[in-house]
């Protein structure tokens, strides 16, 4: 009884805010906490891993639709161990995990009461979303959920396959939106996600109005939940008047530097989002330099792995993630809790900043000096490798830093420029 009494005023205020069309915005302090994390794991997984083709997109293409929609009857990833996955992410220096609870193929990795097309009806039966949420909580990793609003399997969603353009007359978007709001209520009240990562807003049936309705529904249940920018319409890369959500989501590329709007690049460790046998994998150097470049642009990196059909992540991917983690163990202060800039990232280097330090991430090995534009009003007190060694520099019409023949780290050598002011307050230098 007591709880309900408390709840009533909150619900009234919330309903009033929505009636005045003042949708909730996520608290900037929560968004800052998210952006300070800088590095997360994306996981694309489902019964499609039995075929090694792309999740959602291969349905009705590389895999016939009927065959694809029945894969769940074979799906039994007996080696799935949520704690192992979370520990792999933690060892990589990742601070959050985002899993595809439901992708465009409509299969749910949690035992939803609103569709039988879910994990409970597979040989595996176990609640994958729930087990991962618990493992994240036990290991101090923020748990986040990917949720598609484009569902080719659902009869109420008007399009049933990639490339469909004629809406199914039997479909009903209002019924569809009601169902996804119910599914989101399940996910929010059972698993308490830190963030919801929506996807699939580009097809005609979805509107900004549906997006706002779902966003308001989420915020009524938990105002703290961070929401990406794929509930509304418009470009994934930016925040615009068409956006519903809190941050931008450039994909398979490092986003443009942006000191105003929060953003996160989602990029695959291999080529495919879900598991593919012998897929081409990125190198440690590419991965670490991508992380430094996203941080240099003031954004986060959501780095995607696709677990195999038996529930394991590939050993070679675990080894690569561990190498990234070892780099972050040494140089993480130049990534976590930093701001991007004050110099724009480029192919040679990226800059991050925190307190009275500017960190320069050097991507090339065979260089004997680095030249940076001077910043008016800034005096350099010292320059050294983050690993310790002091460096000779001078500041005339440019900042010139001499480097030894061998740099400390072949993936990304970090320089520290100690200055006489707070680096985060400096304007961007258009280098
Ligand atoms: O279609 C999806 C794709 O499978 C993957 O989930 C990416 C991740 O950002 N989002 C969509 C393509 O933009």
């Amino acid at each position: 009884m007591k709880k309900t009494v408390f709840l009533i005023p909150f619900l009234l205020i919330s309903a009033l805010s929505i009636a005045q069309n003042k949708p909730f915005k996520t608290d900037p302090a929560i968004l800052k906490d998210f952006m300070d994390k800088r590095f997360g794991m994306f996981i694309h997984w489902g019964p499609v891993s039995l075929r090694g083709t792309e999740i959602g997109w291969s349905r009705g293409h590389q895999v016939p639709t009927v065959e694809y929609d029945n894969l769940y009857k074979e799906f039994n990833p007996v080696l799935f161990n949520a704690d192992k996955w979370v520990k792999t992410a933690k060892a990589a220096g990742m601070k959050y995990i985002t899993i595809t609870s439901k992708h465009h193929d409509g299969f749910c990795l949690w035992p939803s009461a609103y569709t039988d097309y879910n994990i409970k009806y597979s040989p595996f039966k176990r609640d994958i979303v729930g087990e991962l949420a618990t493992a994240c909580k036990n290991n101090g990793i923020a748990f986040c959920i990917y949720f598609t609003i484009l569902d080719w399997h659902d009869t109420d969603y008007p399009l049933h396959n990639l490339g469909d353009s004629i809406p199914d007359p039997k479909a009903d978007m209002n019924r569809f939106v009601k169902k996804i709001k119910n599914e989101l209520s399940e996910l929010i009240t059972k698993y308490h996600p830190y963030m919801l990562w929506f996807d699939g807003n580009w097809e005609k049936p979805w509107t900004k109005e549906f997006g706002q309705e779902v966003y308001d529904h989420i915020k009524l249940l938990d105002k703290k939940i961070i929401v990406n920018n794929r509930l509304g319409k418009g470009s994934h890369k930016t925040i615009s008047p068409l956006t519903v959500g809190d941050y931008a989501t450039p994909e398979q590329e490092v986003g443009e530097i942006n000191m105003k709007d929060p953003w996160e690049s989602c990029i695959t460790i291999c080529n495919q989002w879900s598991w593919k046998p012998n897929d081409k994998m990125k190198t440690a150097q590419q991965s670490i330099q991508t992380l430094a470049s996203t941080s240099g642009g003031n954004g986060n990196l959501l780095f995607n792995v696709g677990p195999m059909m038996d529930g394991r992540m590939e050993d070679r991917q675990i080894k690569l993630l561990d190498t990234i983690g070892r780099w972050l163990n040494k140089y993480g202060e130049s990534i976590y809790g930093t701001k991007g800039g004050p110099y724009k990232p480029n192919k040679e280097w990226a800059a991050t900043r925190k307190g009275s330090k500017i960190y320069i991430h050097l991507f090339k090995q065979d260089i004997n000096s680095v030249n940076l534009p001077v910043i008016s009003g800034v005096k350099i007190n010292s320059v050294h490798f983050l690993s310790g060694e002091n460096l000779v520099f001078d500041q005339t019409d440019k900042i010139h830093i001499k480097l030894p023949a061998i740099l400390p780290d072949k993936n990304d050598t970090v320089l520290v420029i100690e200055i006489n002011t707070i680096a985060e307050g400096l304007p961007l230098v258009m280098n």
Side-chain angles (χ1 to χ4, degrees):
M1 182 52 189
K2 263 196 190 143
K3 256 193 186 166
T4 322
V5 170
F6 268 111
L7 205 52
I8 291 168
F10 168 75
L11 285 175
L12 283 175
I13 294 163
S14 310
L16 196 62
S17 317
I18 289 173
Q20 292 164 343
N21 195 20
K22 283 189 193 149
F24 298 109
K25 284 306 284 174
T26 303
D27 181 338
I30 295 175
L31 284 173
K32 181 183 183 308
D33 177 75
F34 171 55
M35 296 311 289
D36 283 349
K37 294 184 191 301
R38 282 291 182 249
F39 191 32
M41 178 183 273
F42 212 171
I43 299 173
H44 277 66
W45 198 39
V48 69
S49 52
L50 289 157
R51 293 292 181 271
T53 55
E54 187 61 287
I55 192 166
W57 298 94
S58 61
R59 177 177 177 271
H61 296 270
Q62 294 88 332
V63 183
T65 301
V66 173
E67 179 187 339
Y68 190 112
D69 290 352
N70 284 283
L71 287 174
Y72 76 99
K73 293 174 183 166
E74 306 165 41
F75 191 52
N76 193 14
V78 292
L79 298 182
F80 168 65
N81 179 323
D83 207 55
K84 268 194 188 156
W85 283 13
V86 175
K87 286 186 162 63
T88 296
K90 203 166 176 178
M94 293 162 155
K95 302 297 182 186
Y96 59 104
I97 289 178
T98 305
I99 182 158
T100 51
S101 67
K102 178 169 68 163
H103 203 267
H104 314 329
D105 58 19
F107 186 74
C108 299
L109 294 184
W110 83 98
S112 173
Y114 298 96
T115 170
D116 290 347
Y117 194 45
N118 76 58
I119 195 71
K120 188 173 141 189
Y121 297 96
S122 74
F124 190 62
K125 301 189 190 324
R126 283 160 45 190
D127 177 0
I128 288 167
V129 172
E131 291 185 26
L132 194 59
T134 303
C136 283
K137 191 162 186 282
N138 294 342
N139 288 278
I141 295 288
F143 176 66
C144 309
I145 291 175
Y146 167 112
F147 186 91
T148 187
I149 49 182
L150 181 169
D151 183 343
W152 290 318
H153 180 270
D154 192 300
T155 50
D156 275 331
Y157 183 78
L159 305 176
H160 298 309
N161 211 316
L162 172 61
D164 273 6
S165 56
I166 301 160
D168 178 345
K170 296 189 297 303
D172 180 326
M173 271 305 279
N174 290 316
R175 231 180 6 232
F176 176 73
V177 172
K178 185 172 185 314
K179 189 195 94 170
I180 62 174
K181 283 163 74 175
N182 285 332
E183 289 174 340
L184 287 166
S185 296
E186 276 183 324
L187 291 167
I188 291 168
T189 53
K190 285 175 78 172
Y191 310 119
H192 310 289
Y194 173 77
M195 177 253 279
L196 287 169
W197 210 100
F198 287 95
D199 203 11
N201 60 340
W202 52 83
E203 289 196 334
K204 272 216 177 82
W206 193 259
T207 65
K208 182 184 172 184
E209 291 64 34
F210 284 139
Q212 192 62 59
E213 181 183 341
V214 171
Y215 185 86
D216 294 344
H217 174 73
I218 293 162
K219 290 299 183 176
L220 263 177
L221 289 166
D222 183 347
K223 277 180 74 175
K224 300 187 306 302
I225 292 180
I226 301 166
V227 178
N228 76 345
N229 71 338
R230 299 194 184 190
L231 255 188
K233 299 295 277 187
S235 165
H236 294 158
K237 294 185 187 180
T238 57
I239 300 290
S240 78
L242 295 173
T243 298
V244 174
D246 301 315
Y247 70 91
T249 53
E251 178 171 321
Q252 298 291 34
E253 61 178 339
V254 173
E256 283 296 311
I257 191 164
N258 189 328
M259 301 309 297
K260 183 170 80 63
D261 299 322
W263 62 271
E264 169 202 70
S265 277
C266 53
I267 297 175
T268 50
I269 196 170
C270 289
N271 287 334
Q272 200 167 271
W273 289 101
S274 52
W275 178 72
K276 174 181 180 183
N278 311 311
D279 198 359
K280 187 169 173 4
M281 188 172 81
K282 290 174 178 63
T283 65
Q285 188 179 79
Q286 285 171 322
S287 309
I288 291 166
Q289 293 184 4
T290 298
L291 175 60
S293 300
T294 47
S295 298
N298 206 39
N300 285 12
L301 173 62
L302 188 60
F303 205 40
N304 180 82
V305 296
M308 297 184 282
M309 65 189 89
D310 63 6
R312 290 177 301 148
M313 293 179 180
E314 286 189 352
D315 282 343
R316 60 171 182 153
Q317 295 183 18
I318 293 171
K319 285 196 181 78
L320 170 57
L321 291 169
D322 187 60
T323 302
I324 299 169
R326 279 186 279 111
W327 183 87
L328 281 165
N329 280 339
K330 281 192 208 163
Y331 306 114
E333 76 166 76
S334 68
I335 300 287
Y336 302 122
T338 62
K339 287 274 173 284
Y343 303 106
K344 284 176 65 175
N346 55 61
K347 292 201 180 328
E348 315 286 318
W349 45 266
T352 54
R353 47 181 157 161
K354 186 164 52 180
S356 60
K357 296 179 181 175
I358 297 173
Y359 302 95
I360 302 294
H361 299 261
L362 299 176
F363 298 154
K364 304 283 180 203
Q365 285 298 301
D366 51 350
I367 50 172
N368 49 29
S369 67
V370 61
N371 294 306
L372 302 166
V374 291
I375 304 173
S376 66
V378 168
K379 183 179 163 306
I380 298 175
N381 297 330
S382 69
V383 180
H384 56 88
F385 285 137
L386 185 47
S387 49
E389 184 187 345
N390 280 323
L391 297 169
V392 173
F393 71 95
D394 59 54
Q395 180 173 352
T396 51
D397 59 337
K398 63 179 184 287
I399 301 166
H400 176 80
I401 304 167
K402 284 183 74 176
L403 298 170
I406 310 286
L407 296 182
D409 194 288
K410 65 182 186 322
N411 293 319
D412 171 357
T413 287
V414 183
L415 295 184
V416 186
I417 303 175
E418 307 254 8
I419 61 175
N420 64 331
T421 184
I422 299 299
E424 286 145 85
L426 298 173
L428 277 188
V429 178
M430 287 313 169
N431 43 307

